[in-house]
Amino acid sequence: MTAVNGYTIGQLARAAGVPTSTIRFYERTGLFKADGRTGGNYRHYGPNSLERLRFIRSAQATGFSLEDVRELLGLAHSDEPPCDEVLTLTRQRLAEVRQRIKELRHVEKVLARSLDGCCSGQNPDLCEEITRLKGPTARPCKDTCGCANRKVARRA
């Protein structure tokens, strides 16, 4: 089969650079469907299927959720220009990404502080907490594990 005649699932997967399981997953979630079946009951995809599959992958790589992608694909069937809806959805996704980055920066600071103070005796740290959970007979790790000699890799 060629792009003019359409694709089997394997051919479509190779053309899009995805495993066939990805196409099947998109079919199960309703984002994608075969255009029909061959006489041998194989899935058959038309030339526009490759374009749709590439759009789905590109939108996901940009950070859109599958539900966002479903919404974006739905705009293809509207008579109205999609600009307002696309802008709204993109702004929402960007705000969520910025919030996630803020949360990750906080996590980074907490982990860096934890590494800086590990086994130093300055503040309770994770090593001390684990040692405490071991019970009263546990050997403290101060001066034995080398934690105090480790430094946090700083961002460039």
Side-chain angles (χ1 to χ4, degrees):
M1 251 180 220
T2 65
V4 174
N5 297 326
Y7 301 93
T8 65
I9 192 168
Q11 291 168 331
L12 182 65
R14 278 189 296 283
V18 300
T20 56
S21 59
T22 296
I23 296 172
R24 288 186 189 106
F25 172 75
Y26 290 155
E27 288 177 340
R28 282 192 311 273
T29 61
L31 283 176
F32 199 74
K33 67 178 186 170
D35 294 325
R37 295 278 182 163
T38 66
N41 205 29
Y42 291 105
R43 291 174 175 92
H44 178 265
Y45 302 90
N48 291 336
S49 294
L50 179 59
E51 188 175 331
R52 183 179 178 96
L53 183 56
R54 285 181 174 157
F55 175 82
I56 293 168
R57 296 297 291 169
S58 175
Q60 274 194 289
T62 308
F64 288 104
S65 69
L66 290 179
E67 195 52 45
D68 294 338
V69 173
R70 184 181 324 284
E71 209 172 312
L72 290 168
L73 289 170
L75 297 173
H77 302 293
S78 171
D79 293 335
E80 299 297 317
C83 300
D84 290 340
E85 291 89 349
V86 169
L87 288 174
T88 299
L89 192 58
T90 303
R91 285 183 182 122
Q92 288 172 344
R93 179 60 53 214
L94 181 59
E96 291 169 10
V97 166
R98 286 179 172 156
Q99 179 60 36
R100 183 69 178 133
I101 289 170
K102 182 180 173 184
E103 292 166 2
L104 287 171
R105 284 190 180 126
H106 173 73
V107 169
E108 177 190 32
K109 288 176 186 175
V110 169
L111 290 172
R113 265 196 313 271
S114 177
L115 281 175
D116 280 344
C118 187
C119 300
S120 67
Q122 298 170 350
N123 296 312
D125 61 53
L126 193 55
C127 289
E128 289 175 3
E129 291 298 314
I130 292 172
T131 301
R132 185 181 59 76
L133 290 173
K134 288 180 175 183
T137 60
R139 214 176 78 209
C141 65
K142 286 182 182 56
D143 301 323
T144 61
C145 72
C147 290
N149 297 328
R150 294 188 186 140
K151 293 294 176 194
V152 178
R154 302 286 180 204
R155 286 191 297 172

